[in-house]
Amino acid sequence: MTAATAPHTIRALIAPDKFKGSLTAGEVADALAGGLRSAKGSAGFSAASGTVTGTVHCELLPLADGGDGSVDAAVASGFGRRSYTVAGPTGQPAQAGIAFDGVTAVVEVANTCGLGLLPGGKLQPLEASSRGFGEAFLFALSLNPARIILALGGSASTDGGMGMLTALGYRFRDRDGRQLYGSGRALAQIDSIERTALPELGDTELIVASDVHNPLRGPHGAPAVFGPQKGASAAEVAALDEGLGHFVAKLSEAGFREAAALAEHEGAGSAGGIGYACLLLGARQVSGADYFLDLLDFNTRKNTCDVVITGEGSIDEQTLAGKLPAAVARRSGGRPIIAVAGRSLLPRERWSEIALARVYTLAEYTDQDSSKDPELSAELLHRIGRDIGESLL
């Protein structure tokens, strides 16, 4: 038997985004960590050789970029979860969650009025409303936070935030004086708007976390770019764009002096125009990826690690444009960065553009479509984690 050698420990920070439609960021991190810990030799002692081979220490940091999964990521990092029943995108009750640590609250569109909450998955581009997001927003205000992070992503509606404003007390009426609920279809029916004062907003910092830069209207606006993803036909896209124009005009008449200018603002078109309504309320827009990395204390956590493992459902051109893996790589201070994804559309020669040492994909491990199969995705991530671990030890 050979003499035992000194053990070594590889410290890995596992900091992925969700795999949309399949696994949450926490589930991705758990599966990868399970695989890393099972890597050959990571038990610490090889009976055959008598040598201590080393261990992998995993620190898990599920991430979000301001889209769906933002509340879960905040809770995983130590925030408390508060539940609240809201109106879903088509009015059905939905159990929403917000994150709160006593100072900062995180409210997200996806778990209040998101596409995933549509009954039977049936898209409703004209009827869907952002009202549930407004109700969760109002609940967050009742907790007296110093700031509220408004995580915009995954919305089912294109109502310019009309539903959200309705929940906050604004009154939209048609020409017969009937109160409108707030939806894409209702935008064109607005005849008058009654503003409501919300004193709590004066003491609360509002932060819009989003990496969407589209304006509210026009060829690059919310209806044209995102409407088809929400089921809107060409005619419905045109109707929604026209309705948003009417909405802006009526807001100007109601005393919102910056209504027209804010409609052109980068990010006004995020979440079907909820970004626009948030700007009307005085919210400050920030990069979702970078803000959440700060909120979840990524810089401190990566300083104690030797390698960073990140990932998302697809590594592609949008990743290069600044999505979460790119932000993680940029902040990792020269440490090796390994990315894991469902698929990668980037050739190996382009990995260096965001300092990726290696990219592993689920598509390399199976011929099956894992994008809608959580069990298969988790199994493949476990295998990938094991392979990563064995490459590190």
Side-chain angles (χ1 to χ4, degrees):
M1 181 179 292
T2 60
T5 58
H8 65 282
T9 299
I10 299 294
R11 295 164 299 177
L13 176 63
I14 305 176
D17 198 354
K18 64 189 172 300
F19 278 30
K20 193 168 185 178
S22 178
L23 297 173
T24 67
E27 290 168 338
V28 172
D30 286 340
L32 286 170
L36 279 158
R37 292 171 181 141
S38 71
K40 184 179 180 181
S42 66
F45 185 79
S46 169
S49 65
T51 60
V52 178
T53 57
T55 59
V56 178
H57 173 76
C58 301
E59 180 170 356
L60 279 58
L61 183 63
L63 295 176
D65 60 3
D68 44 327
S70 295
V71 167
D72 287 341
V75 170
S77 74
F79 279 57
R81 184 188 298 274
R82 303 290 186 94
S83 295
Y84 189 70
T85 301
V86 302
T90 52
Q92 78 288 3
Q95 192 69 16
I98 74 168
F100 186 52
D101 69 352
V103 176
T104 299
V106 181
V107 184
E108 72 174 55
V109 164
N111 74 17
T112 55
C113 59
L115 286 164
L117 297 178
L118 287 166
K122 183 180 179 182
L123 300 175
Q124 299 280 351
L126 296 180
E127 307 304 333
S129 173
S130 60
R131 185 183 181 96
F133 182 66
E135 291 173 345
F137 183 170
L138 198 60
F139 172 61
L141 276 175
S142 74
L143 302 175
N144 298 312
R147 71 186 60 85
I148 299 177
I149 300 169
L150 304 165
L152 309 187
S155 69
S157 62
T158 308
D159 69 354
M162 177 186 175
M164 180 192 87
L165 292 174
T166 299
L168 293 177
Y170 288 74
R171 296 290 176 260
F172 299 88
R173 300 187 186 278
D174 65 14
R175 64 179 60 186
D176 296 318
R178 293 173 298 198
Q179 189 169 318
L180 298 168
Y181 181 80
S183 67
R185 188 184 301 278
L187 291 168
Q189 301 169 15
I190 299 171
D191 185 67
S192 65
I193 302 174
E194 299 170 18
R195 301 180 62 175
T196 297
L198 287 171
E200 310 97 299
L201 288 179
D203 299 322
T204 305
E205 181 184 16
L206 301 181
I207 297 171
V208 170
S210 173
D211 289 305
V212 171
H213 302 292
N214 303 71
L216 183 64
R217 303 181 60 226
H220 303 293
V225 176
F226 304 111
Q229 300 171 17
K230 302 174 186 183
S233 65
E236 288 169 335
V237 165
L240 287 167
D241 196 77
E242 185 175 344
L244 287 170
H246 180 72
F247 181 47
V248 172
K250 287 298 180 180
L251 285 165
S252 297
E253 289 178 14
F256 286 91
R257 288 178 295 178
E258 298 184 352
L262 289 175
E264 302 297 326
H265 194 284
E266 284 192 2
S270 59
I274 296 175
Y276 173 64
C278 293
L279 293 172
L280 287 171
L281 296 175
R284 174 170 64 93
Q285 184 170 327
V286 299
S287 163
D290 281 311
Y291 191 85
F292 269 84
L293 287 175
D294 288 337
L295 181 72
L296 305 181
D297 202 20
F298 173 82
N299 286 355
T300 298
R301 299 190 187 209
K302 57 91 173 171
N303 285 339
T304 62
C305 293
D306 303 304
V307 60
V308 177
I309 302 171
T310 187
E312 62 180 345
S314 178
I315 300 288
D316 49 34
E317 291 288 340
Q318 291 187 40
T319 306
L320 297 180
K323 291 181 71 178
L324 198 56
V328 166
R330 187 175 65 248
R331 288 178 174 231
S332 292
R335 291 167 180 78
I337 310 298
I338 297 172
V340 179
R343 64 172 187 170
S344 174
L345 302 181
L346 290 182
R348 180 182 292 266
E349 57 268 21
R350 301 197 66 187
W351 293 355
S352 61
E353 293 182 33
I354 50 174
L356 298 179
R358 177 69 191 273
V359 176
Y360 290 82
T361 67
L362 274 58
E364 295 173 300
Y365 284 70
T366 183
D367 293 329
Q368 300 179 54
D369 180 8
S370 62
S371 63
K372 303 295 183 183
D373 189 335
E375 186 175 345
L376 177 60
S377 295
E379 177 188 333
L380 297 174
L381 285 168
H382 189 280
R383 290 171 54 190
I384 289 172
R386 184 187 62 209
D387 288 350
I388 293 173
E390 292 183 356
S391 74
L392 295 174
L393 290 172

